[in-house]
Amino acid sequence: MMIGAPDMALPRMNNLSFWILPFAFAILVSTLFMEGGGPNFGWTFYAPLSTTFAPDSVNYFIFAVHIMGASSIMGSINIIATIMNMRAPGMTYMKMPLFVWTWLITAFLLVAVMPVLAGAVTMMLMDINFGTSFFNAAGGGDPVLFQHVFWFFGHPEVYIIILPAFGVVSQIIPTFSRKPLFGYSSMVYATAAIAFLSFVVWAHHMFTVGMPIAGELYFMYATMLIAVPTGVKVFNWITTMYRGALTFETPMLFSIAFVILFTFGGFTGLMLSVAAADIQYHDTYFVVAHFHYVMVAGAVFSGTAAVYYWLPKWCGKMYNETMGKIQFWIAFIAFNITFMPQHFLGLAGMPRRYADYGLQFADWNMVSSIGAFMYGGAQLLFLFNVVRTITHGQPVSDAKVWEGAEGLEWLVATPAPYHTFIKPPVMSVGGEGPEWRVDAPAPAMAFKMAPEAG
Amino acid sequence: MSSEGNYYVPEQSKLPIFCATAMGLMAFGAASWVIEGGDAKIFLVGLALMTVVMYKWWSLVIDENMQGLVSPQLKHSYVLGMLWFIFSEVMFFAAFFGALFYVRVLVNAWIGGEAAVALFDSTPTAAAAANNEILWPGYERQWPVMQTPDQAVNGDSAMFKGPDRSMSLPLWEYPVSQWLSKLYTLLPWLPLWNTVILLTSSFTVHLAHTGLKEGKRDVFLRYLGITVMLGFLFLCLQVAEYYEAYAHYGLTLKSGIYGTTFFMLTGFHGAHVTLGTAMLLIQFIRGLKGQFSSDDHFGFEAASWYWHFVDVVWLGLFLVVYIFG
Ligand code: HEM
Ligand SMILES: [Cu+2]
């Protein structure tokens, strides 16, 4: 909708990549009930834990990853094709909304790294069942090879998670600052730079496996480089707000919190990237704290912001602003209560991935648990607010729900009609920036129609 | 970018959900199959469903095209889809080539007690040597790995036993001065023939394409037919090669990292040749039915791009697995 297209470029393939997911999920869930238990080797599934010492259910895990990978690749190819091929006339690449840009780059990352993950699990499959020795030094292979292949996928994967979040925030902050985004083109280039760098820094997850010093140094400096484009983004968000006519609706609150907390997580990332220091931090709660700051504050906060921001457009009803704000403050405070202490625990040496811990760590863990329950409460409130909006929300009929919002999605009727653009919108250049004219699209249909889209 | 005019939005369809069901059954079935004592029943059910779905799906797409429902814009989407799909395949092979490189250049040196690349590898010599003495005493850096670390330590009771012969260039067995006189040893060397076959087939598929663009149906069909046959021949030779390896070279999936990388790289390539040949065969049948015109033949173009890609991968394999194997 943001580029003026009726649907994805390849709608049936889109549908397929969606329907694969429930099957893959069902396969994974079924492993929990199997003899020998479900996969028990963590999300990084290092060999030989996931090969020599794995339960039989690992085979189901492997094939589930395969079809999920196929789903991701098809979905991403579709996104790329849609963005490259379905933009409305006049919408050049450098006029696309930033959210669209971040998705384009994210999809590219997915197409590039999902096959590598598929390769990794295929190697596992062969090692487990057909006697190959990729990850077995006895045959001349190396368990560390697994880590290289995995993190070649794994590091870009964390950017796959965060880039769309960058995009969301880059849409919301200008709206509520009532100013165009500061440094649009530098945002685009920074995103591309981050994506490129994400391919060449993977071994910063492996500082302790015994790489040669040259490797440690290279991966350390390369990782630190990522801080530069990331810094550009943070600077641009802040500058967009500077002297803007700010208002603080819920999506904006979440976006500002995103900027603050993500920056914080970026700094701890920078600490971890110092190879010599990471030997101390690695596999401690410090790492856990780092990635929750970037992932929860990054992906979850921006996701929440996105839902509040576009919900009125989706269903034509307004959420409860007070409840949203209450949820924000609980979430923000609880998040910090939960994860801030984990920095201290990690620095004091508490290892991650153990169910139990030394008594000296008990106090901060207690604080962290209290925060976690509060945070959970905030999420329930969120769910309640969304459901209630759909059932009892105040109807809104303005095309432009937010006063400062720019972009095609705010020009069509609210809620957006099914297959929004039967004809591509037309751009007339005039005044500041592009102006779009939408030729009366299909009459708005009842909300009930929307779920069938796709 | 879109042009003005209406978009084409296809009818709602149930095919995707059947396709996903088939994939789910195949994945679950394959896992149950590889587990000891398992069988292939569920997998086969999935496969059967998948075959039906694929047939229906492609027929639908072809029908839509014949009815002129496919706008130039949608065609361009198909082009983009195919190109990015090939890119994802490139990345898949990259993972295996990367694994080969890592094991061969780095790991092999380290467990053999040496520095990998003297200039960059700052592992102190003493530490490297200790690596070897403590972990795999007696193992020497070598490629192809004919004697695995396992064998170096455990002798005949080793689980991974290296092969008796490798697949690499036969000339390596002789000093340079004798190469000219030993050139004939290359004659029975299958990989060389396979290279010739694939390169030729890439050329013939190109000739078929030019023929089609010029509207010469007979040229198109002739060269496409030859290409399919060459693909098939390649596969036959590869089967012969695998048979040799297992029967006479002692080279199997289980013979350490050399066998592992050899079979996985050439095996995945072979699987792609199979797929490519099948794609071209379908295009050949469509050609017989006269479904292509000189300016509208994307199905064929996509298959031929895929074929060129498979060819390029082979060149890489030929270099790193066979010549410098
Ligand atoms: C300035 C940017 C960043 C830097 C320099 C950085 C650096 C690092 C380093 C060095 C580690 C390894 C720590 C260790 O295991 O010892 C790490 C772990 C991690 N990072 Fe980041 N990071 C950054 C941004 C991000 C972002 C944006 C995300 C995701 C949204 C992320 C997610 C993670 C995750 C999930 C882990 C833990 C992986 C695991 O072992 O399970 N990081 N980071
Ligand atoms: Cu990373």
Side-chain angles (χ1 to χ4, degrees), chain B residues 291-315:
Chain B
Q291 291 180 348
F292 295 122
S293 64
S294 56
D295 53 358
D296 183 13
H297 46 257
F298 177 65
F300 167 71
E301 266 183 328
S304 75
W305 291 338
Y306 195 76
W307 194 251
H308 290 309
F309 153 72
V310 170
D311 195 32
V312 172
V313 173
W314 175 262
L315 285 182

PDB file of all heavy atoms in Angstrom, chain B residues 291-315:
ATOM      1  N   GLN B 291       3.984 -23.793 -27.738  1.00  0.00           N
ATOM      2  CA  GLN B 291       3.510 -22.772 -26.800  1.00  0.00           C
ATOM      3  C   GLN B 291       4.387 -21.521 -26.770  1.00  0.00           C
ATOM      4  O   GLN B 291       4.093 -20.586 -26.045  1.00  0.00           O
ATOM      5  CB  GLN B 291       3.425 -23.359 -25.393  1.00  0.00           C
ATOM      6  CG  GLN B 291       2.317 -24.377 -25.260  1.00  0.00           C
ATOM      7  CD  GLN B 291       2.245 -24.940 -23.860  1.00  0.00           C
ATOM      8  OE1 GLN B 291       3.136 -24.750 -23.064  1.00  0.00           O
ATOM      9  NE2 GLN B 291       1.162 -25.634 -23.570  1.00  0.00           N
ATOM     10  N   PHE B 292       5.487 -21.551 -27.503  1.00  0.00           N
ATOM     11  CA  PHE B 292       6.363 -20.384 -27.443  1.00  0.00           C
ATOM     12  C   PHE B 292       6.266 -19.548 -28.707  1.00  0.00           C
ATOM     13  O   PHE B 292       6.015 -20.064 -29.786  1.00  0.00           O
ATOM     14  CB  PHE B 292       7.827 -20.830 -27.295  1.00  0.00           C
ATOM     15  CG  PHE B 292       8.104 -21.520 -26.007  1.00  0.00           C
ATOM     16  CD1 PHE B 292       8.613 -22.808 -25.995  1.00  0.00           C
ATOM     17  CD2 PHE B 292       7.860 -20.885 -24.805  1.00  0.00           C
ATOM     18  CE1 PHE B 292       8.870 -23.451 -24.800  1.00  0.00           C
ATOM     19  CE2 PHE B 292       8.125 -21.520 -23.603  1.00  0.00           C
ATOM     20  CZ  PHE B 292       8.627 -22.814 -23.603  1.00  0.00           C
ATOM     21  N   SER B 293       6.494 -18.254 -28.556  1.00  0.00           N
ATOM     22  CA  SER B 293       6.634 -17.420 -29.744  1.00  0.00           C
ATOM     23  C   SER B 293       7.973 -16.711 -29.632  1.00  0.00           C
ATOM     24  O   SER B 293       8.598 -16.732 -28.573  1.00  0.00           O
ATOM     25  CB  SER B 293       5.502 -16.401 -29.808  1.00  0.00           C
ATOM     26  OG  SER B 293       5.608 -15.533 -28.707  1.00  0.00           O
ATOM     27  N   SER B 294       8.387 -16.075 -30.715  1.00  0.00           N
ATOM     28  CA  SER B 294       9.744 -15.542 -30.705  1.00  0.00           C
ATOM     29  C   SER B 294       9.923 -14.431 -29.677  1.00  0.00           C
ATOM     30  O   SER B 294      11.020 -14.144 -29.257  1.00  0.00           O
ATOM     31  CB  SER B 294      10.117 -15.037 -32.095  1.00  0.00           C
ATOM     32  OG  SER B 294       9.157 -14.079 -32.491  1.00  0.00           O
ATOM     33  N   ASP B 295       8.836 -13.810 -29.247  1.00  0.00           N
ATOM     34  CA  ASP B 295       9.049 -12.765 -28.245  1.00  0.00           C
ATOM     35  C   ASP B 295       8.417 -13.117 -26.901  1.00  0.00           C
ATOM     36  O   ASP B 295       8.438 -12.335 -25.976  1.00  0.00           O
ATOM     37  CB  ASP B 295       8.514 -11.415 -28.759  1.00  0.00           C
ATOM     38  CG  ASP B 295       7.074 -11.534 -29.214  1.00  0.00           C
ATOM     39  OD1 ASP B 295       6.556 -12.670 -29.144  1.00  0.00           O
ATOM     40  OD2 ASP B 295       6.483 -10.526 -29.630  1.00  0.00           O
ATOM     41  N   ASP B 296       7.830 -14.292 -26.774  1.00  0.00           N
ATOM     42  CA  ASP B 296       7.238 -14.657 -25.492  1.00  0.00           C
ATOM     43  C   ASP B 296       7.579 -16.099 -25.149  1.00  0.00           C
ATOM     44  O   ASP B 296       6.929 -17.029 -25.592  1.00  0.00           O
ATOM     45  CB  ASP B 296       5.712 -14.468 -25.551  1.00  0.00           C
ATOM     46  CG  ASP B 296       5.082 -14.762 -24.199  1.00  0.00           C
ATOM     47  OD1 ASP B 296       5.848 -14.860 -23.217  1.00  0.00           O
ATOM     48  OD2 ASP B 296       3.855 -14.883 -24.136  1.00  0.00           O
ATOM     49  N   HIS B 297       8.632 -16.255 -24.363  1.00  0.00           N
ATOM     50  CA  HIS B 297       9.056 -17.617 -24.026  1.00  0.00           C
ATOM     51  C   HIS B 297       9.796 -17.592 -22.705  1.00  0.00           C
ATOM     52  O   HIS B 297      10.901 -18.107 -22.591  1.00  0.00           O
ATOM     53  CB  HIS B 297       9.955 -18.163 -25.138  1.00  0.00           C
ATOM     54  CG  HIS B 297      11.010 -17.177 -25.585  1.00  0.00           C
ATOM     55  ND1 HIS B 297      10.913 -16.468 -26.741  1.00  0.00           N
ATOM     56  CD2 HIS B 297      12.154 -16.784 -25.015  1.00  0.00           C
ATOM     57  CE1 HIS B 297      11.974 -15.672 -26.871  1.00  0.00           C
ATOM     58  NE2 HIS B 297      12.734 -15.852 -25.827  1.00  0.00           N
ATOM     59  N   PHE B 298       9.183 -16.970 -21.699  1.00  0.00           N
ATOM     60  CA  PHE B 298       9.932 -16.813 -20.458  1.00  0.00           C
ATOM     61  C   PHE B 298      10.250 -18.145 -19.790  1.00  0.00           C
ATOM     62  O   PHE B 298      11.314 -18.323 -19.224  1.00  0.00           O
ATOM     63  CB  PHE B 298       9.199 -15.899 -19.481  1.00  0.00           C
ATOM     64  CG  PHE B 298       9.952 -15.802 -18.189  1.00  0.00           C
ATOM     65  CD1 PHE B 298      11.211 -15.221 -18.168  1.00  0.00           C
ATOM     66  CD2 PHE B 298       9.449 -16.357 -17.020  1.00  0.00           C
ATOM     67  CE1 PHE B 298      11.949 -15.176 -17.006  1.00  0.00           C
ATOM     68  CE2 PHE B 298      10.190 -16.316 -15.857  1.00  0.00           C
ATOM     69  CZ  PHE B 298      11.432 -15.724 -15.852  1.00  0.00           C
ATOM     70  N   GLY B 299       9.319 -19.108 -19.877  1.00  0.00           N
ATOM     71  CA  GLY B 299       9.566 -20.411 -19.267  1.00  0.00           C
ATOM     72  C   GLY B 299      10.896 -20.975 -19.743  1.00  0.00           C
ATOM     73  O   GLY B 299      11.716 -21.448 -18.955  1.00  0.00           O
ATOM     74  N   PHE B 300      11.115 -20.875 -21.046  1.00  0.00           N
ATOM     75  CA  PHE B 300      12.366 -21.386 -21.587  1.00  0.00           C
ATOM     76  C   PHE B 300      13.547 -20.552 -21.117  1.00  0.00           C
ATOM     77  O   PHE B 300      14.584 -21.075 -20.712  1.00  0.00           O
ATOM     78  CB  PHE B 300      12.308 -21.391 -23.114  1.00  0.00           C
ATOM     79  CG  PHE B 300      13.646 -21.613 -23.729  1.00  0.00           C
ATOM     80  CD1 PHE B 300      14.247 -22.855 -23.659  1.00  0.00           C
ATOM     81  CD2 PHE B 300      14.326 -20.568 -24.332  1.00  0.00           C
ATOM     82  CE1 PHE B 300      15.502 -23.057 -24.206  1.00  0.00           C
ATOM     83  CE2 PHE B 300      15.584 -20.762 -24.869  1.00  0.00           C
ATOM     84  CZ  PHE B 300      16.176 -22.014 -24.804  1.00  0.00           C
ATOM     85  N   GLU B 301      13.382 -19.250 -21.138  1.00  0.00           N
ATOM     86  CA  GLU B 301      14.496 -18.392 -20.728  1.00  0.00           C
ATOM     87  C   GLU B 301      14.912 -18.692 -19.293  1.00  0.00           C
ATOM     88  O   GLU B 301      16.094 -18.823 -18.989  1.00  0.00           O
ATOM     89  CB  GLU B 301      14.098 -16.923 -20.842  1.00  0.00           C
ATOM     90  CG  GLU B 301      14.510 -16.317 -22.161  1.00  0.00           C
ATOM     91  CD  GLU B 301      14.166 -14.851 -22.224  1.00  0.00           C
ATOM     92  OE1 GLU B 301      13.148 -14.454 -21.616  1.00  0.00           O
ATOM     93  OE2 GLU B 301      14.898 -14.108 -22.876  1.00  0.00           O
ATOM     94  N   ALA B 302      13.922 -18.828 -18.417  1.00  0.00           N
ATOM     95  CA  ALA B 302      14.227 -19.106 -17.012  1.00  0.00           C
ATOM     96  C   ALA B 302      15.014 -20.402 -16.904  1.00  0.00           C
ATOM     97  O   ALA B 302      16.039 -20.479 -16.219  1.00  0.00           O
ATOM     98  CB  ALA B 302      12.945 -19.179 -16.198  1.00  0.00           C
ATOM     99  N   ALA B 303      14.541 -21.431 -17.604  1.00  0.00           N
ATOM    100  CA  ALA B 303      15.235 -22.716 -17.543  1.00  0.00           C
ATOM    101  C   ALA B 303      16.655 -22.585 -18.073  1.00  0.00           C
ATOM    102  O   ALA B 303      17.586 -23.180 -17.534  1.00  0.00           O
ATOM    103  CB  ALA B 303      14.468 -23.761 -18.332  1.00  0.00           C
ATOM    104  N   SER B 304      16.834 -21.765 -19.113  1.00  0.00           N
ATOM    105  CA  SER B 304      18.182 -21.663 -19.667  1.00  0.00           C
ATOM    106  C   SER B 304      19.100 -20.867 -18.752  1.00  0.00           C
ATOM    107  O   SER B 304      20.265 -21.201 -18.605  1.00  0.00           O
ATOM    108  CB  SER B 304      18.161 -21.064 -21.066  1.00  0.00           C
ATOM    109  OG  SER B 304      17.931 -19.688 -20.996  1.00  0.00           O
ATOM    110  N   TRP B 305      18.552 -19.849 -18.091  1.00  0.00           N
ATOM    111  CA  TRP B 305      19.398 -19.167 -17.096  1.00  0.00           C
ATOM    112  C   TRP B 305      19.849 -20.160 -16.042  1.00  0.00           C
ATOM    113  O   TRP B 305      21.006 -20.177 -15.610  1.00  0.00           O
ATOM    114  CB  TRP B 305      18.631 -18.047 -16.369  1.00  0.00           C
ATOM    115  CG  TRP B 305      18.313 -16.896 -17.229  1.00  0.00           C
ATOM    116  CD1 TRP B 305      18.941 -16.537 -18.384  1.00  0.00           C
ATOM    117  CD2 TRP B 305      17.266 -15.960 -17.018  1.00  0.00           C
ATOM    118  NE1 TRP B 305      18.357 -15.421 -18.900  1.00  0.00           N
ATOM    119  CE2 TRP B 305      17.329 -15.043 -18.090  1.00  0.00           C
ATOM    120  CE3 TRP B 305      16.300 -15.786 -16.035  1.00  0.00           C
ATOM    121  CZ2 TRP B 305      16.448 -13.982 -18.198  1.00  0.00           C
ATOM    122  CZ3 TRP B 305      15.432 -14.733 -16.131  1.00  0.00           C
ATOM    123  CH2 TRP B 305      15.498 -13.836 -17.210  1.00  0.00           C
ATOM    124  N   TYR B 306      18.937 -20.946 -15.581  1.00  0.00           N
ATOM    125  CA  TYR B 306      19.260 -21.928 -14.544  1.00  0.00           C
ATOM    126  C   TYR B 306      20.362 -22.846 -15.039  1.00  0.00           C
ATOM    127  O   TYR B 306      21.297 -23.182 -14.327  1.00  0.00           O
ATOM    128  CB  TYR B 306      17.993 -22.714 -14.208  1.00  0.00           C
ATOM    129  CG  TYR B 306      18.102 -23.490 -12.926  1.00  0.00           C
ATOM    130  CD1 TYR B 306      18.018 -22.836 -11.707  1.00  0.00           C
ATOM    131  CD2 TYR B 306      18.286 -24.866 -12.939  1.00  0.00           C
ATOM    132  CE1 TYR B 306      18.116 -23.535 -10.531  1.00  0.00           C
ATOM    133  CE2 TYR B 306      18.384 -25.573 -11.766  1.00  0.00           C
ATOM    134  CZ  TYR B 306      18.299 -24.908 -10.565  1.00  0.00           C
ATOM    135  OH  TYR B 306      18.400 -25.606  -9.404  1.00  0.00           O
ATOM    136  N   TRP B 307      20.236 -23.220 -16.293  1.00  0.00           N
ATOM    137  CA  TRP B 307      21.225 -24.134 -16.872  1.00  0.00           C
ATOM    138  C   TRP B 307      22.604 -23.485 -16.912  1.00  0.00           C
ATOM    139  O   TRP B 307      23.605 -24.118 -16.568  1.00  0.00           O
ATOM    140  CB  TRP B 307      20.769 -24.539 -18.268  1.00  0.00           C
ATOM    141  CG  TRP B 307      21.517 -25.712 -18.797  1.00  0.00           C
ATOM    142  CD1 TRP B 307      22.435 -25.699 -19.793  1.00  0.00           C
ATOM    143  CD2 TRP B 307      21.435 -27.061 -18.318  1.00  0.00           C
ATOM    144  NE1 TRP B 307      22.939 -26.970 -19.983  1.00  0.00           N
ATOM    145  CE2 TRP B 307      22.338 -27.823 -19.079  1.00  0.00           C
ATOM    146  CE3 TRP B 307      20.696 -27.690 -17.307  1.00  0.00           C
ATOM    147  CZ2 TRP B 307      22.526 -29.179 -18.883  1.00  0.00           C
ATOM    148  CZ3 TRP B 307      20.879 -29.040 -17.121  1.00  0.00           C
ATOM    149  CH2 TRP B 307      21.777 -29.776 -17.896  1.00  0.00           C
ATOM    150  N   HIS B 308      22.672 -22.239 -17.309  1.00  0.00           N
ATOM    151  CA  HIS B 308      23.970 -21.555 -17.317  1.00  0.00           C
ATOM    152  C   HIS B 308      24.550 -21.485 -15.910  1.00  0.00           C
ATOM    153  O   HIS B 308      25.743 -21.672 -15.703  1.00  0.00           O
ATOM    154  CB  HIS B 308      23.843 -20.137 -17.884  1.00  0.00           C
ATOM    155  CG  HIS B 308      23.556 -20.108 -19.350  1.00  0.00           C
ATOM    156  ND1 HIS B 308      24.301 -20.809 -20.267  1.00  0.00           N
ATOM    157  CD2 HIS B 308      22.597 -19.486 -20.066  1.00  0.00           C
ATOM    158  CE1 HIS B 308      23.824 -20.616 -21.477  1.00  0.00           C
ATOM    159  NE2 HIS B 308      22.774 -19.812 -21.388  1.00  0.00           N
ATOM    160  N   PHE B 309      23.694 -21.229 -14.955  1.00  0.00           N
ATOM    161  CA  PHE B 309      24.151 -21.163 -13.559  1.00  0.00           C
ATOM    162  C   PHE B 309      24.765 -22.496 -13.126  1.00  0.00           C
ATOM    163  O   PHE B 309      25.860 -22.560 -12.570  1.00  0.00           O
ATOM    164  CB  PHE B 309      22.970 -20.764 -12.658  1.00  0.00           C
ATOM    165  CG  PHE B 309      23.073 -21.254 -11.244  1.00  0.00           C
ATOM    166  CD1 PHE B 309      23.983 -20.689 -10.362  1.00  0.00           C
ATOM    167  CD2 PHE B 309      22.261 -22.276 -10.786  1.00  0.00           C
ATOM    168  CE1 PHE B 309      24.086 -21.146  -9.068  1.00  0.00           C
ATOM    169  CE2 PHE B 309      22.352 -22.739  -9.502  1.00  0.00           C
ATOM    170  CZ  PHE B 309      23.275 -22.174  -8.632  1.00  0.00           C
ATOM    171  N   VAL B 310      24.060 -23.588 -13.446  1.00  0.00           N
ATOM    172  CA  VAL B 310      24.559 -24.907 -13.083  1.00  0.00           C
ATOM    173  C   VAL B 310      25.908 -25.163 -13.735  1.00  0.00           C
ATOM    174  O   VAL B 310      26.819 -25.754 -13.146  1.00  0.00           O
ATOM    175  CB  VAL B 310      23.525 -25.971 -13.504  1.00  0.00           C
ATOM    176  CG1 VAL B 310      24.099 -27.364 -13.379  1.00  0.00           C
ATOM    177  CG2 VAL B 310      22.277 -25.844 -12.673  1.00  0.00           C
ATOM    178  N   ASP B 311      26.060 -24.671 -14.937  1.00  0.00           N
ATOM    179  CA  ASP B 311      27.295 -24.818 -15.672  1.00  0.00           C
ATOM    180  C   ASP B 311      28.449 -24.092 -14.980  1.00  0.00           C
ATOM    181  O   ASP B 311      29.544 -24.630 -14.819  1.00  0.00           O
ATOM    182  CB  ASP B 311      27.063 -24.245 -17.075  1.00  0.00           C
ATOM    183  CG  ASP B 311      28.150 -24.679 -18.024  1.00  0.00           C
ATOM    184  OD1 ASP B 311      28.665 -25.793 -17.838  1.00  0.00           O
ATOM    185  OD2 ASP B 311      28.480 -23.899 -18.926  1.00  0.00           O
ATOM    186  N   VAL B 312      28.161 -22.860 -14.555  1.00  0.00           N
ATOM    187  CA  VAL B 312      29.199 -22.078 -13.886  1.00  0.00           C
ATOM    188  C   VAL B 312      29.627 -22.764 -12.586  1.00  0.00           C
ATOM    189  O   VAL B 312      30.813 -22.855 -12.261  1.00  0.00           O
ATOM    190  CB  VAL B 312      28.702 -20.647 -13.613  1.00  0.00           C
ATOM    191  CG1 VAL B 312      29.703 -19.901 -12.745  1.00  0.00           C
ATOM    192  CG2 VAL B 312      28.484 -19.918 -14.916  1.00  0.00           C
ATOM    193  N   VAL B 313      28.655 -23.277 -11.854  1.00  0.00           N
ATOM    194  CA  VAL B 313      28.996 -23.989 -10.624  1.00  0.00           C
ATOM    195  C   VAL B 313      29.926 -25.161 -10.945  1.00  0.00           C
ATOM    196  O   VAL B 313      30.899 -25.413 -10.238  1.00  0.00           O
ATOM    197  CB  VAL B 313      27.733 -24.502  -9.910  1.00  0.00           C
ATOM    198  CG1 VAL B 313      28.115 -25.385  -8.726  1.00  0.00           C
ATOM    199  CG2 VAL B 313      26.894 -23.349  -9.435  1.00  0.00           C
ATOM    200  N   TRP B 314      29.618 -25.830 -12.027  1.00  0.00           N
ATOM    201  CA  TRP B 314      30.478 -26.962 -12.386  1.00  0.00           C
ATOM    202  C   TRP B 314      31.908 -26.513 -12.642  1.00  0.00           C
ATOM    203  O   TRP B 314      32.858 -27.167 -12.218  1.00  0.00           O
ATOM    204  CB  TRP B 314      29.931 -27.712 -13.593  1.00  0.00           C
ATOM    205  CG  TRP B 314      30.881 -28.791 -14.012  1.00  0.00           C
ATOM    206  CD1 TRP B 314      31.797 -28.734 -15.005  1.00  0.00           C
ATOM    207  CD2 TRP B 314      31.055 -30.062 -13.378  1.00  0.00           C
ATOM    208  NE1 TRP B 314      32.533 -29.894 -15.058  1.00  0.00           N
ATOM    209  CE2 TRP B 314      32.102 -30.732 -14.064  1.00  0.00           C
ATOM    210  CE3 TRP B 314      30.441 -30.700 -12.293  1.00  0.00           C
ATOM    211  CZ2 TRP B 314      32.535 -32.003 -13.713  1.00  0.00           C
ATOM    212  CZ3 TRP B 314      30.879 -31.977 -11.947  1.00  0.00           C
ATOM    213  CH2 TRP B 314      31.905 -32.606 -12.650  1.00  0.00           C
ATOM    214  N   LEU B 315      32.065 -25.384 -13.324  1.00  0.00           N
ATOM    215  CA  LEU B 315      33.422 -24.915 -13.577  1.00  0.00           C
ATOM    216  C   LEU B 315      34.174 -24.708 -12.266  1.00  0.00           C
ATOM    217  O   LEU B 315      35.340 -25.086 -12.139  1.00  0.00           O
ATOM    218  CB  LEU B 315      33.392 -23.617 -14.383  1.00  0.00           C
ATOM    219  CG  LEU B 315      33.062 -23.817 -15.864  1.00  0.00           C
ATOM    220  CD1 LEU B 315      33.109 -22.493 -16.595  1.00  0.00           C
ATOM    221  CD2 LEU B 315      34.041 -24.799 -16.490  1.00  0.00           C
TER     222      LEU B 315
END
